[in-house]
Amino acid sequence: MDKNKLFLGFVTAALGLFLLISPDTFISFFVIILGVASIIDGVFILATTRDLIVDPQYKTIVTVRGALSIAVGLLAVILPIAVAAVVWKAMAYTLAIYLVVSAAMQIYTITKLHRNGIMIRQSMIEVFSSLLIAIVLFIIPAQTAGQFLIRIFGIALLIVGIGLLLIQWKSRPELVVPDSVETVEDEEK
């Protein structure tokens, strides 16, 4: 029995149950996590990608994108903790709009990077991921649709988690305890 897969099964099932029981808390948690990720992304953008090519427009766009990422991330983390539940929806929409604007800015910077011979595969993945998360953030705050989708996702995670646990239970090594142990001596002696 693989202990890592067993742990993964427990965690997945627990997350699925959490999504079923309290979708509103999950939305709040999700917004804060995205805020922290946005702050980290902004710092990374400013620290590493700003000086990839010598183009003043590229540098300006990347600097604005990094600063915007840090500002929106800070708002997503600080405001919902300090203010009432109405802010959760506002921050979800703000993060979604930021992700769309950030993706548009990154598409521009991707063209500049591509012209200068720099690999753009990871940047393209980031653009598609940003747009996908933005779509999810636009859908989640809609009370009925968002909670319905979160509960469906929770059911799926619960089923996957229980499935992983069952697979690990079925594949555990069998321990056979003998009733007695006899040694067989050579009969030639």
Side-chain angles (χ1 to χ4, degrees), residues 45-95:
I45 289 168
L46 291 175
T48 61
T49 61
R50 188 169 53 171
D51 296 322
L52 281 177
I53 58 176
V54 184
D55 182 349
Q57 289 177 335
Y58 172 82
K59 192 171 189 167
T60 302
I61 293 279
V62 170
T63 303
V64 168
R65 185 171 164 253
L68 188 62
S69 181
I70 292 171
V72 170
L74 285 172
L75 284 175
V77 171
I78 294 169
L79 277 181
I81 292 172
V83 187
V86 174
V87 175
W88 293 114
K89 288 183 183 180
M91 276 320 305
Y93 286 129
T94 303
L95 275 169

mmCIF file of all heavy atoms in Angstrom, residues 45-95:
data_model
loop_
_atom_site.group_PDB
_atom_site.id
_atom_site.type_symbol
_atom_site.label_atom_id
_atom_site.label_comp_id
_atom_site.label_asym_id
_atom_site.label_seq_id
_atom_site.Cartn_x
_atom_site.Cartn_y
_atom_site.Cartn_z
ATOM 1 N N ILE A 45 7.624 38.692 -11.896
ATOM 2 C CA ILE A 45 7.637 39.472 -13.135
ATOM 3 C C ILE A 45 8.632 40.630 -13.021
ATOM 4 O O ILE A 45 9.456 40.855 -13.918
ATOM 5 C CB ILE A 45 6.223 39.997 -13.466
ATOM 6 C CG1 ILE A 45 5.315 38.860 -13.908
ATOM 7 C CG2 ILE A 45 6.273 41.077 -14.534
ATOM 8 C CD1 ILE A 45 3.846 39.240 -13.980
ATOM 9 N N LEU A 46 8.555 41.359 -11.921
ATOM 10 C CA LEU A 46 9.444 42.516 -11.751
ATOM 11 C C LEU A 46 10.905 42.100 -11.582
ATOM 12 O O LEU A 46 11.806 42.790 -12.045
ATOM 13 C CB LEU A 46 9.001 43.355 -10.551
ATOM 14 C CG LEU A 46 7.671 44.094 -10.716
ATOM 15 C CD1 LEU A 46 7.293 44.792 -9.418
ATOM 16 C CD2 LEU A 46 7.732 45.084 -11.872
ATOM 17 N N ALA A 47 11.127 40.969 -10.928
ATOM 18 C CA ALA A 47 12.503 40.555 -10.651
ATOM 19 C C ALA A 47 13.188 39.896 -11.831
ATOM 20 O O ALA A 47 14.398 40.063 -12.023
ATOM 21 C CB ALA A 47 12.524 39.604 -9.454
ATOM 22 N N THR A 48 12.456 39.159 -12.656
ATOM 23 C CA THR A 48 13.136 38.355 -13.677
ATOM 24 C C THR A 48 12.806 38.715 -15.118
ATOM 25 O O THR A 48 13.697 38.724 -15.955
ATOM 26 C CB THR A 48 12.831 36.857 -13.481
ATOM 27 O OG1 THR A 48 11.433 36.644 -13.607
ATOM 28 C CG2 THR A 48 13.308 36.364 -12.139
ATOM 29 N N THR A 49 11.548 38.971 -15.417
ATOM 30 C CA THR A 49 11.200 39.115 -16.840
ATOM 31 C C THR A 49 11.274 40.538 -17.360
ATOM 32 O O THR A 49 11.189 40.749 -18.563
ATOM 33 C CB THR A 49 9.783 38.564 -17.122
ATOM 34 O OG1 THR A 49 8.837 39.309 -16.353
ATOM 35 C CG2 THR A 49 9.684 37.107 -16.781
ATOM 36 N N ARG A 50 11.442 41.519 -16.500
ATOM 37 C CA ARG A 50 11.449 42.905 -16.946
ATOM 38 C C ARG A 50 12.643 43.231 -17.834
ATOM 39 O O ARG A 50 12.559 44.042 -18.745
ATOM 40 C CB ARG A 50 11.422 43.824 -15.722
ATOM 41 C CG ARG A 50 11.230 45.261 -16.071
ATOM 42 C CD ARG A 50 10.950 46.102 -14.890
ATOM 43 N NE ARG A 50 11.958 45.918 -13.844
ATOM 44 C CZ ARG A 50 12.033 46.668 -12.774
ATOM 45 N NH1 ARG A 50 11.185 47.637 -12.598
ATOM 46 N NH2 ARG A 50 12.964 46.452 -11.874
ATOM 47 N N ASP A 51 13.770 42.592 -17.592
ATOM 48 C CA ASP A 51 14.980 42.919 -18.341
ATOM 49 C C ASP A 51 15.366 41.851 -19.364
ATOM 50 O O ASP A 51 16.541 41.743 -19.718
ATOM 51 C CB ASP A 51 16.137 43.136 -17.347
ATOM 52 C CG ASP A 51 15.884 44.316 -16.439
ATOM 53 O OD1 ASP A 51 15.334 45.321 -16.928
ATOM 54 O OD2 ASP A 51 16.226 44.226 -15.242
ATOM 55 N N LEU A 52 14.404 41.067 -19.839
ATOM 56 C CA LEU A 52 14.729 40.022 -20.812
ATOM 57 C C LEU A 52 15.186 40.593 -22.148
ATOM 58 O O LEU A 52 16.110 40.066 -22.760
ATOM 59 C CB LEU A 52 13.528 39.098 -21.038
ATOM 60 C CG LEU A 52 13.286 38.031 -19.975
ATOM 61 C CD1 LEU A 52 12.028 37.246 -20.290
ATOM 62 C CD2 LEU A 52 14.466 37.095 -19.877
ATOM 63 N N ILE A 53 14.533 41.650 -22.598
ATOM 64 C CA ILE A 53 14.952 42.271 -23.855
ATOM 65 C C ILE A 53 15.079 43.775 -23.652
ATOM 66 O O ILE A 53 14.477 44.349 -22.751
ATOM 67 C CB ILE A 53 13.972 41.966 -25.020
ATOM 68 C CG1 ILE A 53 12.550 42.438 -24.721
ATOM 69 C CG2 ILE A 53 13.974 40.493 -25.356
ATOM 70 C CD1 ILE A 53 11.586 42.254 -25.866
ATOM 71 N N VAL A 54 15.882 44.394 -24.513
ATOM 72 C CA VAL A 54 16.111 45.834 -24.417
ATOM 73 C C VAL A 54 15.117 46.533 -25.338
ATOM 74 O O VAL A 54 15.416 46.850 -26.478
ATOM 75 C CB VAL A 54 17.565 46.196 -24.818
ATOM 76 C CG1 VAL A 54 17.821 47.681 -24.632
ATOM 77 C CG2 VAL A 54 18.550 45.364 -24.045
ATOM 78 N N ASP A 55 13.927 46.746 -24.808
ATOM 79 C CA ASP A 55 12.866 47.434 -25.542
ATOM 80 C C ASP A 55 12.089 48.243 -24.515
ATOM 81 O O ASP A 55 11.500 47.673 -23.588
ATOM 82 C CB ASP A 55 11.955 46.415 -26.235
ATOM 83 C CG ASP A 55 10.858 47.058 -27.063
ATOM 84 O OD1 ASP A 55 10.658 48.284 -26.960
ATOM 85 O OD2 ASP A 55 10.186 46.328 -27.809
ATOM 86 N N PRO A 56 12.055 49.556 -24.633
ATOM 87 C CA PRO A 56 11.399 50.378 -23.614
ATOM 88 C C PRO A 56 9.894 50.081 -23.467
ATOM 89 O O PRO A 56 9.371 50.111 -22.364
ATOM 90 C CB PRO A 56 11.632 51.816 -24.063
ATOM 91 C CG PRO A 56 12.331 51.763 -25.363
ATOM 92 C CD PRO A 56 12.696 50.355 -25.652
ATOM 93 N N GLN A 57 9.218 49.794 -24.575
ATOM 94 C CA GLN A 57 7.789 49.458 -24.487
ATOM 95 C C GLN A 57 7.584 48.155 -23.730
ATOM 96 O O GLN A 57 6.686 48.051 -22.897
ATOM 97 C CB GLN A 57 7.170 49.340 -25.875
ATOM 98 C CG GLN A 57 7.020 50.658 -26.583
ATOM 99 C CD GLN A 57 6.468 50.461 -27.983
ATOM 100 O OE1 GLN A 57 6.611 49.405 -28.586
ATOM 101 N NE2 GLN A 57 5.826 51.505 -28.500
ATOM 102 N N TYR A 58 8.404 47.162 -24.031
ATOM 103 C CA TYR A 58 8.313 45.872 -23.345
ATOM 104 C C TYR A 58 8.535 46.073 -21.847
ATOM 105 O O TYR A 58 7.775 45.566 -21.027
ATOM 106 C CB TYR A 58 9.343 44.891 -23.913
ATOM 107 C CG TYR A 58 9.450 43.609 -23.130
ATOM 108 C CD1 TYR A 58 8.545 42.579 -23.344
ATOM 109 C CD2 TYR A 58 10.433 43.435 -22.164
ATOM 110 C CE1 TYR A 58 8.626 41.408 -22.606
ATOM 111 C CE2 TYR A 58 10.520 42.269 -21.430
ATOM 112 C CZ TYR A 58 9.616 41.252 -21.665
ATOM 113 O OH TYR A 58 9.689 40.099 -20.932
ATOM 114 N N LYS A 59 9.568 46.825 -21.506
ATOM 115 C CA LYS A 59 9.896 47.050 -20.091
ATOM 116 C C LYS A 59 8.753 47.766 -19.371
ATOM 117 O O LYS A 59 8.411 47.417 -18.239
ATOM 118 C CB LYS A 59 11.197 47.844 -19.983
ATOM 119 C CG LYS A 59 11.770 47.877 -18.601
ATOM 120 C CD LYS A 59 13.159 48.477 -18.616
ATOM 121 C CE LYS A 59 13.802 48.289 -17.254
ATOM 122 N NZ LYS A 59 15.207 48.552 -17.253
ATOM 123 N N THR A 60 8.141 48.754 -20.026
ATOM 124 C CA THR A 60 7.025 49.481 -19.428
ATOM 125 C C THR A 60 5.824 48.567 -19.201
ATOM 126 O O THR A 60 5.229 48.570 -18.117
ATOM 127 C CB THR A 60 6.618 50.668 -20.324
ATOM 128 O OG1 THR A 60 7.749 51.517 -20.503
ATOM 129 C CG2 THR A 60 5.473 51.454 -19.708
ATOM 130 N N ILE A 61 5.471 47.786 -20.216
ATOM 131 C CA ILE A 61 4.319 46.873 -20.105
ATOM 132 C C ILE A 61 4.560 45.859 -18.992
ATOM 133 O O ILE A 61 3.674 45.593 -18.173
ATOM 134 C CB ILE A 61 4.064 46.142 -21.436
ATOM 135 C CG1 ILE A 61 3.613 47.121 -22.506
ATOM 136 C CG2 ILE A 61 3.059 45.021 -21.270
ATOM 137 C CD1 ILE A 61 2.167 47.497 -22.485
ATOM 138 N N VAL A 62 5.742 45.285 -18.945
ATOM 139 C CA VAL A 62 6.047 44.268 -17.930
ATOM 140 C C VAL A 62 6.052 44.899 -16.530
ATOM 141 O O VAL A 62 5.553 44.291 -15.576
ATOM 142 C CB VAL A 62 7.387 43.572 -18.244
ATOM 143 C CG1 VAL A 62 7.836 42.703 -17.099
ATOM 144 C CG2 VAL A 62 7.252 42.726 -19.504
ATOM 145 N N THR A 63 6.576 46.113 -16.393
ATOM 146 C CA THR A 63 6.581 46.790 -15.096
ATOM 147 C C THR A 63 5.158 47.083 -14.629
ATOM 148 O O THR A 63 4.820 46.849 -13.460
ATOM 149 C CB THR A 63 7.400 48.100 -15.164
ATOM 150 O OG1 THR A 63 8.723 47.781 -15.609
ATOM 151 C CG2 THR A 63 7.456 48.791 -13.822
ATOM 152 N N VAL A 64 4.318 47.590 -15.534
ATOM 153 C CA VAL A 64 2.920 47.858 -15.191
ATOM 154 C C VAL A 64 2.217 46.563 -14.810
ATOM 155 O O VAL A 64 1.478 46.516 -13.816
ATOM 156 C CB VAL A 64 2.187 48.558 -16.362
ATOM 157 C CG1 VAL A 64 0.686 48.574 -16.151
ATOM 158 C CG2 VAL A 64 2.710 49.965 -16.539
ATOM 159 N N ARG A 65 2.453 45.507 -15.568
ATOM 160 C CA ARG A 65 1.823 44.210 -15.278
ATOM 161 C C ARG A 65 2.262 43.674 -13.919
ATOM 162 O O ARG A 65 1.446 43.180 -13.139
ATOM 163 C CB ARG A 65 2.156 43.212 -16.383
ATOM 164 C CG ARG A 65 1.456 41.902 -16.220
ATOM 165 C CD ARG A 65 1.643 41.014 -17.458
ATOM 166 N NE ARG A 65 1.293 39.679 -17.081
ATOM 167 C CZ ARG A 65 2.153 38.683 -16.898
ATOM 168 N NH1 ARG A 65 3.424 38.870 -17.133
ATOM 169 N NH2 ARG A 65 1.758 37.502 -16.514
ATOM 170 N N GLY A 66 3.537 43.767 -13.593
ATOM 171 C CA GLY A 66 4.028 43.304 -12.303
ATOM 172 C C GLY A 66 3.460 44.103 -11.145
ATOM 173 O O GLY A 66 3.028 43.537 -10.135
ATOM 174 N N ALA A 67 3.449 45.430 -11.281
ATOM 175 C CA ALA A 67 2.908 46.290 -10.220
ATOM 176 C C ALA A 67 1.407 46.053 -10.049
ATOM 177 O O ALA A 67 0.898 45.997 -8.920
ATOM 178 C CB ALA A 67 3.184 47.751 -10.543
ATOM 179 N N LEU A 68 0.690 45.909 -11.151
ATOM 180 C CA LEU A 68 -0.745 45.630 -11.102
ATOM 181 C C LEU A 68 -1.014 44.291 -10.424
ATOM 182 O O LEU A 68 -1.936 44.156 -9.618
ATOM 183 C CB LEU A 68 -1.317 45.637 -12.524
ATOM 184 C CG LEU A 68 -2.817 45.543 -12.690
ATOM 185 C CD1 LEU A 68 -3.493 46.741 -12.051
ATOM 186 C CD2 LEU A 68 -3.167 45.466 -14.164
ATOM 187 N N SER A 69 -0.192 43.320 -10.722
ATOM 188 C CA SER A 69 -0.334 41.995 -10.115
ATOM 189 C C SER A 69 -0.154 42.066 -8.601
ATOM 190 O O SER A 69 -0.936 41.473 -7.840
ATOM 191 C CB SER A 69 0.692 41.039 -10.727
ATOM 192 O OG SER A 69 0.571 39.759 -10.190
ATOM 193 N N ILE A 70 0.852 42.794 -8.146
ATOM 194 C CA ILE A 70 1.082 42.929 -6.702
ATOM 195 C C ILE A 70 -0.066 43.690 -6.041
ATOM 196 O O ILE A 70 -0.566 43.279 -4.986
ATOM 197 C CB ILE A 70 2.429 43.626 -6.427
ATOM 198 C CG1 ILE A 70 3.586 42.702 -6.859
ATOM 199 C CG2 ILE A 70 2.565 44.007 -4.961
ATOM 200 C CD1 ILE A 70 4.945 43.364 -6.836
ATOM 201 N N ALA A 71 -0.535 44.772 -6.673
ATOM 202 C CA ALA A 71 -1.613 45.579 -6.087
ATOM 203 C C ALA A 71 -2.909 44.779 -5.971
ATOM 204 O O ALA A 71 -3.562 44.773 -4.924
ATOM 205 C CB ALA A 71 -1.830 46.838 -6.927
ATOM 206 N N VAL A 72 -3.293 44.090 -7.038
ATOM 207 C CA VAL A 72 -4.522 43.305 -7.017
ATOM 208 C C VAL A 72 -4.394 42.142 -6.028
ATOM 209 O O VAL A 72 -5.335 41.820 -5.301
ATOM 210 C CB VAL A 72 -4.883 42.801 -8.435
ATOM 211 C CG1 VAL A 72 -5.997 41.786 -8.392
ATOM 212 C CG2 VAL A 72 -5.273 43.966 -9.316
ATOM 213 N N GLY A 73 -3.233 41.528 -5.968
ATOM 214 C CA GLY A 73 -3.007 40.446 -5.014
ATOM 215 C C GLY A 73 -3.143 40.914 -3.574
ATOM 216 O O GLY A 73 -3.768 40.245 -2.742
ATOM 217 N N LEU A 74 -2.556 42.076 -3.272
ATOM 218 C CA LEU A 74 -2.688 42.625 -1.920
ATOM 219 C C LEU A 74 -4.138 42.930 -1.582
ATOM 220 O O LEU A 74 -4.603 42.645 -0.471
ATOM 221 C CB LEU A 74 -1.833 43.890 -1.772
ATOM 222 C CG LEU A 74 -0.329 43.665 -1.645
ATOM 223 C CD1 LEU A 74 0.418 44.998 -1.709
ATOM 224 C CD2 LEU A 74 -0.003 42.939 -0.356
ATOM 225 N N LEU A 75 -4.866 43.495 -2.535
ATOM 226 C CA LEU A 75 -6.290 43.756 -2.305
ATOM 227 C C LEU A 75 -7.056 42.459 -2.060
ATOM 228 O O LEU A 75 -7.922 42.395 -1.186
ATOM 229 C CB LEU A 75 -6.902 44.493 -3.506
ATOM 230 C CG LEU A 75 -6.585 45.966 -3.623
ATOM 231 C CD1 LEU A 75 -7.142 46.533 -4.922
ATOM 232 C CD2 LEU A 75 -7.150 46.730 -2.434
ATOM 233 N N ALA A 76 -6.741 41.428 -2.837
ATOM 234 C CA ALA A 76 -7.445 40.150 -2.697
ATOM 235 C C ALA A 76 -7.180 39.488 -1.354
ATOM 236 O O ALA A 76 -8.024 38.774 -0.831
ATOM 237 C CB ALA A 76 -7.049 39.204 -3.827
ATOM 238 N N VAL A 77 -6.018 39.731 -0.784
ATOM 239 C CA VAL A 77 -5.693 39.122 0.508
ATOM 240 C C VAL A 77 -6.207 39.983 1.666
ATOM 241 O O VAL A 77 -6.820 39.476 2.597
ATOM 242 C CB VAL A 77 -4.167 38.899 0.641
ATOM 243 C CG1 VAL A 77 -3.797 38.467 2.040
ATOM 244 C CG2 VAL A 77 -3.712 37.864 -0.373
ATOM 245 N N ILE A 78 -5.979 41.292 1.606
ATOM 246 C CA ILE A 78 -6.275 42.166 2.743
ATOM 247 C C ILE A 78 -7.761 42.519 2.848
ATOM 248 O O ILE A 78 -8.345 42.413 3.924
ATOM 249 C CB ILE A 78 -5.423 43.451 2.672
ATOM 250 C CG1 ILE A 78 -3.946 43.087 2.850
ATOM 251 C CG2 ILE A 78 -5.852 44.454 3.714
ATOM 252 C CD1 ILE A 78 -2.996 44.211 2.544
ATOM 253 N N LEU A 79 -8.384 42.941 1.750
ATOM 254 C CA LEU A 79 -9.765 43.410 1.823
ATOM 255 C C LEU A 79 -10.761 42.356 2.316
ATOM 256 O O LEU A 79 -11.561 42.652 3.201
ATOM 257 C CB LEU A 79 -10.217 43.962 0.468
ATOM 258 C CG LEU A 79 -9.831 45.401 0.178
ATOM 259 C CD1 LEU A 79 -10.365 45.830 -1.171
ATOM 260 C CD2 LEU A 79 -10.299 46.344 1.258
ATOM 261 N N PRO A 80 -10.760 41.154 1.768
ATOM 262 C CA PRO A 80 -11.759 40.197 2.251
ATOM 263 C C PRO A 80 -11.598 39.839 3.727
ATOM 264 O O PRO A 80 -12.563 39.530 4.401
ATOM 265 C CB PRO A 80 -11.524 38.961 1.380
ATOM 266 C CG PRO A 80 -10.902 39.492 0.148
ATOM 267 C CD PRO A 80 -10.058 40.643 0.607
ATOM 268 N N ILE A 81 -10.390 39.889 4.235
ATOM 269 C CA ILE A 81 -10.184 39.583 5.646
ATOM 270 C C ILE A 81 -10.711 40.731 6.503
ATOM 271 O O ILE A 81 -11.287 40.517 7.570
ATOM 272 C CB ILE A 81 -8.682 39.326 5.926
ATOM 273 C CG1 ILE A 81 -8.247 38.034 5.230
ATOM 274 C CG2 ILE A 81 -8.401 39.257 7.417
ATOM 275 C CD1 ILE A 81 -6.760 37.783 5.266
ATOM 276 N N ALA A 82 -10.555 41.963 6.025
ATOM 277 C CA ALA A 82 -10.911 43.130 6.820
ATOM 278 C C ALA A 82 -12.372 43.556 6.673
ATOM 279 O O ALA A 82 -12.905 44.205 7.561
ATOM 280 C CB ALA A 82 -10.010 44.296 6.432
ATOM 281 N N VAL A 83 -13.024 43.222 5.579
ATOM 282 C CA VAL A 83 -14.359 43.739 5.292
ATOM 283 C C VAL A 83 -15.347 42.578 5.160
ATOM 284 O O VAL A 83 -14.968 41.420 5.121
ATOM 285 C CB VAL A 83 -14.321 44.600 4.004
ATOM 286 C CG1 VAL A 83 -15.641 45.297 3.769
ATOM 287 C CG2 VAL A 83 -13.225 45.643 4.088
ATOM 288 N N ALA A 84 -16.608 42.909 5.025
ATOM 289 C CA ALA A 84 -17.695 41.919 5.004
ATOM 290 C C ALA A 84 -17.669 41.025 3.772
ATOM 291 O O ALA A 84 -16.852 41.184 2.868
ATOM 292 C CB ALA A 84 -19.026 42.643 5.087
ATOM 293 N N ALA A 85 -18.595 40.095 3.728
ATOM 294 C CA ALA A 85 -18.654 39.064 2.688
ATOM 295 C C ALA A 85 -18.935 39.613 1.294
ATOM 296 O O ALA A 85 -18.654 38.943 0.307
ATOM 297 C CB ALA A 85 -19.718 38.031 3.048
ATOM 298 N N VAL A 86 -19.468 40.815 1.194
ATOM 299 C CA VAL A 86 -19.751 41.406 -0.116
ATOM 300 C C VAL A 86 -18.459 41.568 -0.905
ATOM 301 O O VAL A 86 -18.429 41.458 -2.127
ATOM 302 C CB VAL A 86 -20.461 42.762 0.055
ATOM 303 C CG1 VAL A 86 -20.645 43.474 -1.264
ATOM 304 C CG2 VAL A 86 -21.793 42.570 0.766
ATOM 305 N N VAL A 87 -17.377 41.796 -0.189
ATOM 306 C CA VAL A 87 -16.083 42.029 -0.834
ATOM 307 C C VAL A 87 -15.591 40.782 -1.555
ATOM 308 O O VAL A 87 -14.874 40.872 -2.544
ATOM 309 C CB VAL A 87 -15.065 42.519 0.221
ATOM 310 C CG1 VAL A 87 -13.686 42.661 -0.371
ATOM 311 C CG2 VAL A 87 -15.523 43.838 0.794
ATOM 312 N N TRP A 88 -15.985 39.598 -1.079
ATOM 313 C CA TRP A 88 -15.530 38.364 -1.736
ATOM 314 C C TRP A 88 -15.913 38.375 -3.207
ATOM 315 O O TRP A 88 -15.103 38.085 -4.077
ATOM 316 C CB TRP A 88 -16.124 37.128 -1.063
ATOM 317 C CG TRP A 88 -15.639 36.910 0.326
ATOM 318 C CD1 TRP A 88 -16.382 36.978 1.464
ATOM 319 C CD2 TRP A 88 -14.309 36.598 0.743
ATOM 320 N NE1 TRP A 88 -15.586 36.730 2.555
ATOM 321 C CE2 TRP A 88 -14.319 36.491 2.143
ATOM 322 C CE3 TRP A 88 -13.115 36.398 0.070
ATOM 323 C CZ2 TRP A 88 -13.189 36.191 2.886
ATOM 324 C CZ3 TRP A 88 -11.986 36.099 0.813
ATOM 325 C CH2 TRP A 88 -12.030 36.001 2.193
ATOM 326 N N LYS A 89 -17.158 38.708 -3.477
ATOM 327 C CA LYS A 89 -17.612 38.730 -4.871
ATOM 328 C C LYS A 89 -16.885 39.817 -5.650
ATOM 329 O O LYS A 89 -16.451 39.598 -6.777
ATOM 330 C CB LYS A 89 -19.121 38.952 -4.936
ATOM 331 C CG LYS A 89 -19.919 37.770 -4.496
ATOM 332 C CD LYS A 89 -21.393 38.027 -4.644
ATOM 333 C CE LYS A 89 -22.177 36.837 -4.118
ATOM 334 N NZ LYS A 89 -23.606 37.028 -4.224
ATOM 335 N N ALA A 90 -16.753 40.999 -5.044
ATOM 336 C CA ALA A 90 -16.069 42.097 -5.723
ATOM 337 C C ALA A 90 -14.623 41.714 -6.038
ATOM 338 O O ALA A 90 -14.118 41.986 -7.135
ATOM 339 C CB ALA A 90 -16.121 43.359 -4.867
ATOM 340 N N MET A 91 -13.951 41.065 -5.088
ATOM 341 C CA MET A 91 -12.556 40.667 -5.322
ATOM 342 C C MET A 91 -12.467 39.567 -6.371
ATOM 343 O O MET A 91 -11.520 39.525 -7.151
ATOM 344 C CB MET A 91 -11.892 40.215 -4.022
ATOM 345 C CG MET A 91 -11.330 41.342 -3.189
ATOM 346 S SD MET A 91 -10.496 42.682 -4.077
ATOM 347 C CE MET A 91 -9.267 41.881 -5.039
ATOM 348 N N ALA A 92 -13.440 38.669 -6.397
ATOM 349 C CA ALA A 92 -13.423 37.625 -7.419
ATOM 350 C C ALA A 92 -13.537 38.260 -8.800
ATOM 351 O O ALA A 92 -12.797 37.899 -9.726
ATOM 352 C CB ALA A 92 -14.558 36.634 -7.177
ATOM 353 N N TYR A 93 -14.441 39.228 -8.942
ATOM 354 C CA TYR A 93 -14.575 39.909 -10.229
ATOM 355 C C TYR A 93 -13.336 40.745 -10.544
ATOM 356 O O TYR A 93 -12.887 40.790 -11.691
ATOM 357 C CB TYR A 93 -15.823 40.790 -10.247
ATOM 358 C CG TYR A 93 -17.107 40.009 -10.354
ATOM 359 C CD1 TYR A 93 -18.148 40.234 -9.471
ATOM 360 C CD2 TYR A 93 -17.275 39.035 -11.337
ATOM 361 C CE1 TYR A 93 -19.331 39.518 -9.561
ATOM 362 C CE2 TYR A 93 -18.454 38.308 -11.433
ATOM 363 C CZ TYR A 93 -19.471 38.559 -10.545
ATOM 364 O OH TYR A 93 -20.643 37.854 -10.634
ATOM 365 N N THR A 94 -12.761 41.401 -9.528
ATOM 366 C CA THR A 94 -11.546 42.194 -9.739
ATOM 367 C C THR A 94 -10.396 41.302 -10.197
ATOM 368 O O THR A 94 -9.669 41.654 -11.145
ATOM 369 C CB THR A 94 -11.153 42.935 -8.444
ATOM 370 O OG1 THR A 94 -12.248 43.746 -8.029
ATOM 371 C CG2 THR A 94 -9.927 43.793 -8.651
ATOM 372 N N LEU A 95 -10.238 40.157 -9.548
ATOM 373 C CA LEU A 95 -9.186 39.222 -9.962
ATOM 374 C C LEU A 95 -9.431 38.724 -11.380
ATOM 375 O O LEU A 95 -8.497 38.591 -12.169
ATOM 376 C CB LEU A 95 -9.120 38.036 -9.000
ATOM 377 C CG LEU A 95 -8.292 38.235 -7.747
ATOM 378 C CD1 LEU A 95 -8.528 37.092 -6.768
ATOM 379 C CD2 LEU A 95 -6.826 38.336 -8.076
#
